[in-house]
């Protein structure tokens, strides 16, 4: 029985209602006692009594007593997913914190930490995942997954909760039905698939489809009913010879026709543009055999395979061996497709009883068998790690996150091998570059090509299951924007995006500076409003994109007419400094003729009255005290680069014979250094900050830009200093100001430091 059929509950007396509730609960308890779990009846009874009291007097929209919902969720968790007492208790209690006066602390006091944590996780994700704003969806989904990686049972119980809500969706208002159905199809069904909960996935899809397309659903359901007699005759013709063979093999087995779900029939009709009559693979035959010895399972599967192919013609490329290579979600079976007596292809799925349980109940079934000392769980861990990898990216755009994740949830998989024989599961459409990023970010960003089955291929080459893939890299390779176009895995896209951000930062900074100077020259303040107008004018979608294109010179501010009037009354800060003006660089002293350079010896970077014996590289502008290296340029000059400069990396890799180690001699000049400060904008902090800096002796301040966004301020300060030591002292002082989160030097060519 699925939903609790309760059409006339309002006619029940309270006593009758109570008897019904007790009966439903006893059903849960009985199912639990029949399972292989340890028998912890006492705590389950206590959780039930507690939840019943907490929800007493409350009814669902359908009119039934509220407690019937948590009981139903507990029943699904126990009987359809196969979970144990902890989950049954958490399911019974799952709406208590959300809907009653009780807190998570109460639950912990009464039922312990473990159950309380799961209930807390479920309460956190109780709201609809689809909020009013798209970004809110992603945020909630992210939370959902974060909670999940803490305890997978949170998600499994959430799945049970959603399934019961879908089964009882009929009593909701139509607008809400539509929303919940969409959300189920978009998030829960794919998640159920990834967790290996195939039965639940199918039911969620069918129910969503029923509410989203009621007419199409009804039409197909009717066609299925009408074609039943003919179908069962065809199935009998097909299966009888197979069953005879299985009997001759002396097997204990169940064999049945598996009808395609309404939703998957509809999907096939839609994608292949065929009418119902032409969906030939309406059913598959499933054979489940009993086997006490797991080491014999594989051999029996192939014996059955051989018996069937003796009877029917095998489709050459539709055999799927999920026994040797189980799917990432744990699915194991042997599939083959043969031609039936009526000339149509029929799929046959062969599984042992153990494999069948795993297929139906997903990972929960592994807990029951507990074989291989956690081997099975490690597959799940690999998947969870993939999700964590995405979540760990420090700055993922929320929408990108949802999209990339959705990508992974929907894609079906291929399996490829590394030269060492390691197995990598990837979505279909994955390329050599996906494999490179899968192995490591560094391998991905430096990938130049691949060898697939020992043949050289470009990095955009799409892989097939079973390919052996070797990744070729080069130190001089840099990540490219256009790679986004042929990446299929969420992980690779996330990693590439992070690498591109790092790569583009110097140009973003340069463009930022250009824009600030342009506005400062016009004496216009760089407000959000003005920047937004400029973004619209240049048709770019983000600030960084605007800065980047200005930095690279792809866009020019020439001809842009500012309609805003110049700033009025100067502020306190402006009185102290010339805010918004990019500091002019000190005049370059003349370069003295370089001495003969001996690459084997350390080159002393000297400052004489007559000038310097080196030039500063324009890309990273190091200052004395920085870790630097020399590069002998085409003019024979020693060009000094910061060791963190990306260009220096390229030079080192490509022109190793022109690199010279250097040391700083006594400094006689001053240099511009930029400092990035960020913190919380408490009242008066900016004044305190500026007073502190201006009172700090020996530091010549050239410019100061302050941006505030709600409570957070960021500040870019340019000072004239002799070396890094002075900068470090200043940063240390600034960091001591209450409210300042971080202060650090920004080296050109490196990332903006963060706390
Ligand atoms: Mn609920």
């Amino acid at each position: 029985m699925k939903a609790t059929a309760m059409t006339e509950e309002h006619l029940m007396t309270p006593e009758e209602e109570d008897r019904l509730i007790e009966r439903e609960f006893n059903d849960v308890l009985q199912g639990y006692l029949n399972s292989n779990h340890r028998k912890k009846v006492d705590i389950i009874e206590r959780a039930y009594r507690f939840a019943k009291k907490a929800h007493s007097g409350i009814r669902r929209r359908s009119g039934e007593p509220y407690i019937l919902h948590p009981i139903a969720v507990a029943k699904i968790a126990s009987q359809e997913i196969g979970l144990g007492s902890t989950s049954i208790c958490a399911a019974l209690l799952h709406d208590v914190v959300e809907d009653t006066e009780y807190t998570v602390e109460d639950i912990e006091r009464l039922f312990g930490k473990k159950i309380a944590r799961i209930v807390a996780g479920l309460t956190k994700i109780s709201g609809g995942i689809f909020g009013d704003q798209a970004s809110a969806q992603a945020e909630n989904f992210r939370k959902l997954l974060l909670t999940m990686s803490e305890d997978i049972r949170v998600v499994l119980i959430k799945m049970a909760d959603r399934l019961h809500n879908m089964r009882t969706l009929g009593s909701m208002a139509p607008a809400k039905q539509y929303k919940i159905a969409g959300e189920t199809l978009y998030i829960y069904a794919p998640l159920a698939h990834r967790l290996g909960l195939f039965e639940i996935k199918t039911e969620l899809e069918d129910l969503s489809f029923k509410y989203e397309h009621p007419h199409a659903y009804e039409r197909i359901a009717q066609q299925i009913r009408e074609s039943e007699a003919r179908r069962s005759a065809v199935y009998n013709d097909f299966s009888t010879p197979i069953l005879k063979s299985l009997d001759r093999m002396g097997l204990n087995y169940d064999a049945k026709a598996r009808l395609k779900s309404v939703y998957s029939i509809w999907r096939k009709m839609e994608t292949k543009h065929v009418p119902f009559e032409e969906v030939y693979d309406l059913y598959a035959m499933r054979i489940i055999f009993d086997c006490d010895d797991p080491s014999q399972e594989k051999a029996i599967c192939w014996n059955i395979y051989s018996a069937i192919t003796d009877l029917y013609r095998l489709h050459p490329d539709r055999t799927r061996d999920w026994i040797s290579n189980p799917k990432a979600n744990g699915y194991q079976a042997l599939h083959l497709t043969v031609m039936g007596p009526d000339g149509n292809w029929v799929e046959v799925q062969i599984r042992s009883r153990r494999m069948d349980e795993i297929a139906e109940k997903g990972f929960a079934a592994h807990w029951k068998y507990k074989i291989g000392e956690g081997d099975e769980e490690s597959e799940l861990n690999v998947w969870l790690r993939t999700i964590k990898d995405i979540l760990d990216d420090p700055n993922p755009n929320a929408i990108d996150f949802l999209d990339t994740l959705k990508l992974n949830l929907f894609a079906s998989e291929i399996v490829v091998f590394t030269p060492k024989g390691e197995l990598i599961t990837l979505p279909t459409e994955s390329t050599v570059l996906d494999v490179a990023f899968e192995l490591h970010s560094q391998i991905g960003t430096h990938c130049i090509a691949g060898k697939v089955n020992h043949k050289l291929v470009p990095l955009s080459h799409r892989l097939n299951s079973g390919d052996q893939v070797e990744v070729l890299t080069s130190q001089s390779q840099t990540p490219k924007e256009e790679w986004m176009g042929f990446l299929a895995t969420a992980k690779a896209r996330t990693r590439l995006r992070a690498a591109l951000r790092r790569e583009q930062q110097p140009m973003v900074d340069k463009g930022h500076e250009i824009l600030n100077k342009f506005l400062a020259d016009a004496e216009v303040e760089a407000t959000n409003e003005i920047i937004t107008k400029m973004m619209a004018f240049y048709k770019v979608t983000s600030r960084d994109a605007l800065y980047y294109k200005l930095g690279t010179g792809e866009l020019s501010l020439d001809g842009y007419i500012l309609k805003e009037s110049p700033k009025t009354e100067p502020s306190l800060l402006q009185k102290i400094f010339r805010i918004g003006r990019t500091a002019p660089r000190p005049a370059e002293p003349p370069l003295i003729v370089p001495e003969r350079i001996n690459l084997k010896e350390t080159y002393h970077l000297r400052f004489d009255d007559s000038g310097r014996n080196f030039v500063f590289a324009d890309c990273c502008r190091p200052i004395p005290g920085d870790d630097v290296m020399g590069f002998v340029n085409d003019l024979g000059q020693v060009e000094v680069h910061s060791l963190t400069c990306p260009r220096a990396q390229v030079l080192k890799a490509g022109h190793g014979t022109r690199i010279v180690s250097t040391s700083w001699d006594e400094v006689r000049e001053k240099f511009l250094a930029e400092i990035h400060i960020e913190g919380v904008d408490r009242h008066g902090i900016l004044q305190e900050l500026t007073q502190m800096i201006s009172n700090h002796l020996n530091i010549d301040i050239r410019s100061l830009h302050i941006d505030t966004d709600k409570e957070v301020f960021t500040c870019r300060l340019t000072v004239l200093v002799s070396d890094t030591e002075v900068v470090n002292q200043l940063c240390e002082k600034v960091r001591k100001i209450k409210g300042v989160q971080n202060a650090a030097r920004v080296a050109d060519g490196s990332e903006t430091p963060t706390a």
Side-chain angles (χ1 to χ4, degrees):
M1 187 175 96
K2 286 186 177 174
T4 316
M6 295 268 310
T7 46
E8 305 202 316
E9 70 287 329
H10 53 280
L11 298 177
M12 283 189 191
T13 65
E15 291 74 25
E16 279 170 340
E17 229 172 49
D18 202 58
R19 271 202 297 281
L20 172 81
I21 293 168
E22 293 289 325
R23 204 163 57 233
E24 288 294 319
F25 172 68
N26 275 323
D27 227 30
V28 175
L29 213 53
Q30 218 42 58
Y32 170 71
L33 288 170
N34 292 337
S35 75
N36 285 353
H37 289 279
R38 277 182 297 156
K39 311 294 179 241
K40 292 200 210 157
V41 175
D42 176 58
I43 192 165
I44 296 177
E45 293 233 14
R46 276 204 295 124
Y48 161 63
R49 300 281 160 220
F50 181 79
K52 188 178 172 191
K53 206 169 122 243
H55 291 298
S56 78
I58 312 296
R59 287 175 187 277
R60 301 190 89 201
R61 214 188 128 95
S62 60
E64 64 180 20
Y66 196 88
I67 186 65
L68 285 170
H69 166 65
I71 291 174
V73 174
K75 189 169 172 179
I76 294 168
S78 162
Q79 296 176 19
E80 293 181 49
I81 305 181
L83 298 171
S85 64
T86 303
S87 304
I88 293 174
C89 290
L92 287 167
L93 298 166
H94 84 271
D95 278 332
V96 165
V97 174
E98 172 85 0
D99 294 341
T100 76
E101 296 297 302
Y102 293 100
T103 63
V104 174
E105 288 71 39
D106 294 328
I107 306 281
E108 182 172 339
R109 194 163 36 76
L110 293 164
F111 300 100
K113 245 200 185 82
K114 216 161 41 179
I115 291 173
R117 256 217 305 271
I118 297 174
V119 173
L122 286 160
T123 307
K124 260 191 270 169
I125 57 173
S126 66
I129 280 174
F130 282 74
D132 292 333
Q133 286 177 319
S135 62
Q137 304 168 21
E139 274 316 300
N140 283 331
F141 196 16
R142 190 186 155 105
K143 266 186 234 151
L144 169 86
L145 291 165
L146 274 173
T147 328
M148 173 174 74
S149 23
E150 215 171 281
D151 192 327
I152 189 73
R153 285 174 295 196
V154 171
V155 171
L156 294 172
I157 297 167
K158 185 70 199 167
M159 208 61 84
D161 184 30
R162 173 55 53 132
L163 182 56
H164 185 244
N165 285 335
M166 285 302 292
R167 284 173 181 173
T168 53
L169 197 59
S171 51
M172 296 299 275
K176 209 144 190 211
Q177 285 178 357
Y178 198 74
K179 180 175 153 284
I180 293 175
E183 189 179 289
T184 300
L185 206 53
Y186 190 63
I187 287 172
Y188 288 95
L191 201 51
H193 178 74
R194 287 308 312 250
L195 290 165
L197 303 166
F198 295 108
E199 290 279 275
I200 290 180
K201 172 213 163 208
T202 305
E203 193 180 345
L204 287 175
E205 280 176 350
D206 270 359
L207 287 167
S208 304
F209 175 55
K210 182 175 162 184
Y211 287 98
E212 284 198 323
H213 302 276
H215 298 296
Y217 180 92
E218 206 24 70
R219 206 168 49 242
I220 293 171
Q222 192 184 344
Q223 280 165 314
I224 290 173
R225 283 193 295 272
E226 283 167 356
S227 59
E228 199 181 316
R230 206 186 70 84
R231 212 171 44 241
S232 80
V234 172
Y235 176 74
N236 275 338
D237 280 354
F238 175 72
S239 62
T240 310
I242 295 178
L243 302 186
K244 276 193 188 134
S245 293
L246 294 177
D247 290 337
R248 269 200 302 277
M249 290 165 72
L251 287 171
N252 238 334
Y253 64 89
D254 285 330
K256 54 195 169 194
R258 291 283 307 177
L259 190 63
K260 243 184 157 57
S261 73
V262 178
Y263 176 71
S264 56
I265 291 171
W266 178 73
R267 287 270 303 162
K268 183 134 196 178
M269 290 164 65
E270 290 286 298
T271 53
K272 298 263 187 307
H273 306 288
V274 293
F276 179 84
E277 294 73 30
E278 279 170 40
V279 180
Y280 292 122
D281 54 348
L282 267 183
Y283 68 88
M285 180 182 187
R286 183 173 297 167
I287 298 165
I288 299 157
F289 60 89
D290 290 316
C291 174
D292 294 333
D293 181 1
S295 69
Q296 289 302 304
E297 287 176 340
K298 190 172 170 180
I300 297 174
C301 284
W302 285 104
N303 283 342
I304 297 173
Y305 176 96
S306 157
I308 296 170
T309 50
D310 281 347
L311 292 164
Y312 297 113
R313 190 151 77 80
L314 177 71
H315 190 296
D317 10 274
R318 287 217 210 139
T319 297
R320 298 284 177 268
D321 177 7
W322 302 118
I323 300 173
S324 311
N325 286 329
K327 287 192 190 183
N329 55 24
Y331 182 81
Q332 281 184 297
L334 182 60
H335 292 188
L336 69 157
T337 298
V338 292
M339 187 173 282
D342 62 343
N344 289 319
W345 295 111
V346 181
E347 185 181 81
V348 184
Q349 305 169 352
I350 308 167
R351 310 169 174 172
S352 69
R353 186 77 57 194
R354 180 190 66 87
M355 295 174 190
D356 185 57
E357 288 232 9
I358 290 167
E360 301 293 313
K361 293 183 180 169
F363 276 93
H366 289 300
W367 302 339
K368 181 177 161 188
Y369 286 95
K370 282 192 190 123
I371 55 161
E373 254 97 276
D375 262 356
E376 272 70 22
E377 275 203 27
S378 69
E379 290 255 2
L380 176 65
N381 285 336
V382 169
W383 181 61
L384 290 177
R385 221 181 306 129
T386 310
I387 289 170
K388 273 193 165 154
D389 278 345
I390 299 167
L391 298 174
D392 282 347
D393 182 51
N395 188 17
N397 180 304
I399 297 293
D400 285 349
F401 173 76
L402 185 59
D403 284 341
T404 49
L405 203 71
K406 201 183 105 201
L407 195 73
N408 249 8
L409 289 169
F410 280 106
S412 51
E413 298 154 340
I414 59 167
V415 182
V416 300
F417 299 88
T418 67
K420 285 182 191 155
E422 279 175 58
L423 233 144
I424 302 176
T425 305
L426 297 161
T428 48
E429 304 282 281
S430 288
T431 58
V432 170
L433 194 59
D434 281 297
V435 174
F437 275 107
E438 175 69 31
L439 296 171
H440 197 278
S441 277
Q442 289 293 321
I443 298 178
T445 51
H446 290 114
C447 178
I448 47 167
K451 273 188 179 173
V452 170
N453 306 325
H454 309 291
K455 255 177 53 198
L456 196 64
V457 296
L459 38 80
S460 61
H461 179 86
R462 295 216 184 280
L463 299 170
N464 293 312
S465 235
D467 279 348
Q468 196 220 61
V469 186
E470 190 181 338
V471 175
L472 304 177
T473 60
S474 158
Q475 277 308 309
S476 60
Q477 178 68 297
T478 54
K480 307 277 185 294
E481 184 84 50
E482 57 268 28
W483 290 358
M484 273 306 173
F486 49 77
L487 284 175
T489 60
K491 187 179 184 175
R493 298 173 70 90
T494 305
R495 288 184 163 178
L496 175 59
R497 203 171 288 121
L500 285 171
R501 261 202 308 272
R502 272 196 299 279
E503 192 79 4
Q504 292 177 349
Q505 197 58 48
M507 283 300 139
V508 169
D509 288 351
K510 192 175 164 199
H512 197 170
E513 218 169 279
I514 291 171
L515 182 68
N516 281 341
K517 183 175 180 332
F518 174 75
L519 292 175
D521 287 345
E523 302 208 311
V524 168
E525 217 165 2
T527 59
N528 277 337
E529 202 192 342
I530 287 177
I531 309 253
T532 310
K533 271 188 197 165
M534 292 182 118
M535 279 163 55
F537 178 81
Y538 286 111
K539 298 187 175 63
V540 294
T541 51
S542 74
R543 267 173 191 249
D544 276 2
L546 176 65
Y547 297 151
Y548 180 72
K549 288 188 172 180
L550 288 172
T552 57
E554 193 185 330
L555 293 178
S556 158
L557 291 167
D558 294 345
Y560 184 82
I561 297 157
L562 282 163
K563 293 193 185 69
E564 287 71 22
S565 45
K567 290 176 285 193
T568 48
E569 185 56 12
S571 68
L572 170 66
L573 295 178
Q574 282 167 325
K575 281 178 194 154
I576 303 173
F577 311 104
R578 297 160 58 215
I579 297 177
R581 285 201 183 274
T582 305
R585 296 192 61 190
E588 288 277 330
L591 175 73
I592 51 173
V593 182
E595 48 240 72
R596 264 181 60 93
I597 302 158
N598 184 348
L599 293 172
K600 293 201 176 86
E601 278 173 19
T602 299
Y603 186 82
H604 296 283
L605 304 170
R606 280 190 292 110
F607 302 83
D608 287 338
D609 293 337
S610 50
R612 307 172 190 150
N613 66 346
F614 64 94
V615 288
F616 284 107
D618 251 343
C619 45
C620 52
R621 291 192 212 153
I623 67 173
D626 279 336
D627 290 331
V628 293
M629 59 165 227
F631 170 69
V632 182
N633 68 17
D634 293 340
L635 302 170
Q637 303 160 335
V638 173
E639 203 174 280
V640 175
H641 288 265
S642 157
L643 279 185
T644 56
C645 167
R647 176 141 171 79
Q649 309 295 327
V650 176
L651 292 173
K652 262 197 290 189
H655 305 275
T657 54
R658 290 161 71 174
I659 303 298
V660 62
S661 72
T662 55
S663 73
W664 297 104
D665 274 4
E666 198 198 333
V667 181
R668 304 220 190 142
E669 290 174 37
K670 293 215 167 167
F671 305 90
L672 290 176
E674 201 169 313
I675 296 168
H676 179 89
I677 303 166
E678 58 191 20
V680 182
D681 188 10
R682 80 177 150 78
H683 183 72
I685 191 173
L686 294 182
Q687 273 81 353
E688 202 177 311
L689 178 69
T690 50
Q691 302 286 2
M692 207 289 282
I693 298 167
S694 63
N695 290 338
H696 196 284
L697 293 173
N698 296 330
I699 293 188
D700 187 355
I701 294 167
R702 284 307 175 92
S703 77
L704 180 70
H705 301 272
I706 293 173
D707 264 324
T708 55
D709 182 15
K710 297 198 183 87
E711 284 85 55
V712 177
F713 77 87
T714 54
C715 167
R716 278 199 167 221
L717 173 73
T718 310
V719 289
L720 203 53
V721 293
S722 53
D723 58 35
T724 48
E725 191 48 35
V726 183
V727 181
N728 293 342
Q729 282 169 10
L730 176 65
C731 288
E732 211 170 293
K733 286 222 162 94
V734 170
R735 275 196 292 265
K736 287 196 178 123
I737 297 174
K738 194 171 153 244
V740 170
Q741 299 287 316
N742 194 32
R745 169 147 166 252
V746 190
D748 277 16
S750 74
E751 279 172 277
T752 301
T754 48

